[in-house]
Amino acid sequence: MGMSNLTRFSEFILLGLSSRLEDQKPLFALFLIMYLVTLMGNLLIILAIRSDPQLQNPMYFFLSILSFADICYTTVIVPKMLVNFLSETKTISYAECLAQMYFFLVFGNIDSYLLAAMAIDRYVAICKPFHYVTIMNHRCCMLLLAFSIAFSYLHSLLHVLLVNQLTFCASNVIHHFFCDVNPLLKLACSSTSVNEVVAMTEGLASVMAPFVCIIISYLRILIAVLNIPSASGKRKAFSTCSSHLTLVTLFYGSISYVYLQPLSSYTVKKQIATITYTILTPMLNPFIYSLRNKDMKQGLEKLMSRIKPQMDRLSTAKANKFCEP
């Protein structure tokens, strides 16, 4: 193909989940509800942890940051998705597309490393309970958080800069509901070999490193739990990990299905798996932790008991103002 036919599009078209006109409004309503539930649920988790002295420990510190990252993660994708459901053009500018890809990668990687930090916290709490306070101190938690953020920003910047070097031609139609790396690579006319090599080396390492950390932590936890003589002690130890393991399974299971395959095998069918880790998992996070964690449930109950009187006073004040002549 001659250089005269090569160009850099000023905008892309996001096909979304369905091209059928009759599907747009139902999908808009569904994802709007999911987005609002995600925002409210994760915000309640953050407020409950920040307001309850009993939840001031490393496990809930990381959970509050995870909830904040999940809010940002979905906000990068869903608002534009909702606009496109009601729009005829469904366009996204080139700069906006790269920005969306960058922050999607940032918050996705932060989620991944926070899950690893939470696994380390559970390992120390169960396997080294007498040294927990000294090992998982404030400095250690802040270092883990700082590494998660710094590495995620640098990792994402690398991939976006590589995509920015590509030339696109023939089609500007992205067969996806947001600007992900693989669908964009499929539109490139220039060679994507460097992008694919980086994705399968640095990209794979960045995903597998926290996953391996989680696996090792839980293997050590399993060995320690099996050595506990009482059945009630084993149940208590496993119960502290069940919520985290559920999130890890949902997050890494869907990511593995989407990304741990060659670019040529990337199909539209993988959009369902993408929805799982970008929208469904952040939405389920508050439910998993509030329903399966006694301390978190009590923290949310305390928060609601403080909010309810304030809401009652506000509604009473409004009612009195409305009734005034």
Side-chain angles (χ1 to χ4, degrees):
M1 182 174 291
M3 289 302 294
S4 60
N5 293 329
L6 297 179
T7 184
R8 173 166 291 173
F9 292 112
S10 61
E11 62 182 22
F12 292 101
I13 298 172
L14 293 167
L15 281 189
L17 296 174
S18 174
S19 58
R20 295 171 57 191
L21 188 61
E22 60 269 27
D23 292 339
Q24 303 308 303
K25 288 184 179 179
L27 285 172
F28 173 84
L30 173 64
F31 283 95
L32 176 61
I33 292 169
M34 292 175 71
Y35 181 55
L36 293 176
V37 169
T38 301
L39 293 182
M40 292 301 297
N42 283 288
L43 185 59
L44 284 173
I45 291 287
I46 294 170
L47 291 174
I49 291 172
R50 295 303 181 190
S51 61
D52 191 346
Q54 292 185 344
L55 300 179
Q56 302 303 309
N57 61 51
M59 175 183 173
Y60 296 109
F61 167 76
F62 288 123
L63 178 58
S64 66
I65 302 299
L66 180 66
S67 292
F68 176 76
D70 280 345
I71 290 174
C72 297
Y73 196 30
T74 53
T75 301
V76 168
I77 297 169
V78 179
K80 183 62 179 178
M81 189 180 178
L82 293 174
V83 169
N84 284 347
F85 282 137
L86 302 180
S87 172
E88 293 182 3
T89 57
K90 304 182 187 300
T91 58
I92 183 170
S93 70
Y94 181 82
E96 188 182 356
C97 186
L98 289 187
Q100 187 183 57
M101 182 194 303
Y102 176 72
F103 286 108
F104 157 73
L105 292 172
V106 166
F107 292 112
N109 277 273
I110 288 175
D111 268 14
S112 178
Y113 281 90
L114 285 174
L115 289 173
M118 293 168 77
I120 293 171
D121 173 77
R122 291 300 82 205
Y123 159 70
V124 177
I126 293 173
C127 300
K128 300 179 184 294
F130 298 111
H131 302 284
Y132 179 74
V133 176
T134 55
I135 295 175
M136 296 302 297
N137 54 39
H138 179 73
R139 181 174 178 273
C140 177
C141 292
M142 294 308 295
L143 284 174
L144 287 171
L145 177 60
F147 173 80
S148 301
I149 294 173
F151 182 84
S152 298
Y153 272 87
L154 293 173
H155 162 82
S156 305
L157 183 62
L158 170 64
H159 286 271
V160 170
L161 288 176
L162 287 174
V163 169
N164 193 44
Q165 300 302 310
L166 299 175
T167 307
F168 300 93
C169 62
S171 175
N172 66 338
V173 178
I174 300 174
H175 293 268
H176 211 5
F177 57 89
F178 72 100
C179 289
D180 198 359
V181 177
N182 284 349
L184 268 177
L185 293 185
K186 293 186 75 172
L187 298 181
C189 294
S190 52
S191 174
T192 60
S193 57
V194 175
N195 303 71
E196 292 181 49
V197 168
V198 172
M200 295 306 294
T201 52
E202 187 275 342
L204 186 62
S206 69
V207 173
M208 293 307 296
F211 183 68
V212 170
C213 179
I214 292 169
I215 294 297
I216 292 173
S217 296
Y218 275 107
L219 284 175
R220 299 291 296 271
I221 288 171
L222 180 62
I223 293 170
V225 169
L226 292 177
N227 290 328
I228 297 175
S230 66
S232 60
K234 291 179 181 178
R235 282 195 300 270
K236 183 178 179 181
F238 279 125
S239 67
T240 62
C241 303
S242 59
S243 300
H244 181 254
L245 274 173
T246 304
L247 282 180
V248 168
T249 303
L250 280 171
F251 186 79
Y252 277 101
S254 53
I255 279 185
S256 300
Y257 180 74
V258 173
Y259 292 107
L260 298 185
Q261 296 185 45
L263 177 61
S264 58
S265 68
Y266 192 87
T267 63
V268 179
K269 294 179 181 179
K270 294 182 180 178
Q271 287 184 355
I272 303 300
T274 306
I275 290 171
T276 301
Y277 71 84
T278 57
I279 301 172
L280 190 61
T281 301
M283 184 186 73
L284 293 178
N285 174 29
F287 295 100
I288 291 170
Y289 269 93
S290 61
L291 294 176
R292 306 189 66 175
N293 187 297
K294 184 179 177 181
D295 292 337
M296 194 69 248
K297 190 183 296 184
Q298 290 176 348
L300 286 169
E301 289 172 355
K302 291 178 184 177
L303 177 65
M304 296 309 296
S305 66
R306 284 193 292 269
I307 292 176
K308 191 175 182 298
Q310 296 177 10
M311 295 298 292
D312 291 341
R313 284 195 297 271
L314 182 62
S315 60
T316 302
K318 286 185 176 180
N320 292 336
K321 185 176 180 181
F322 180 76
C323 295
E324 287 178 359

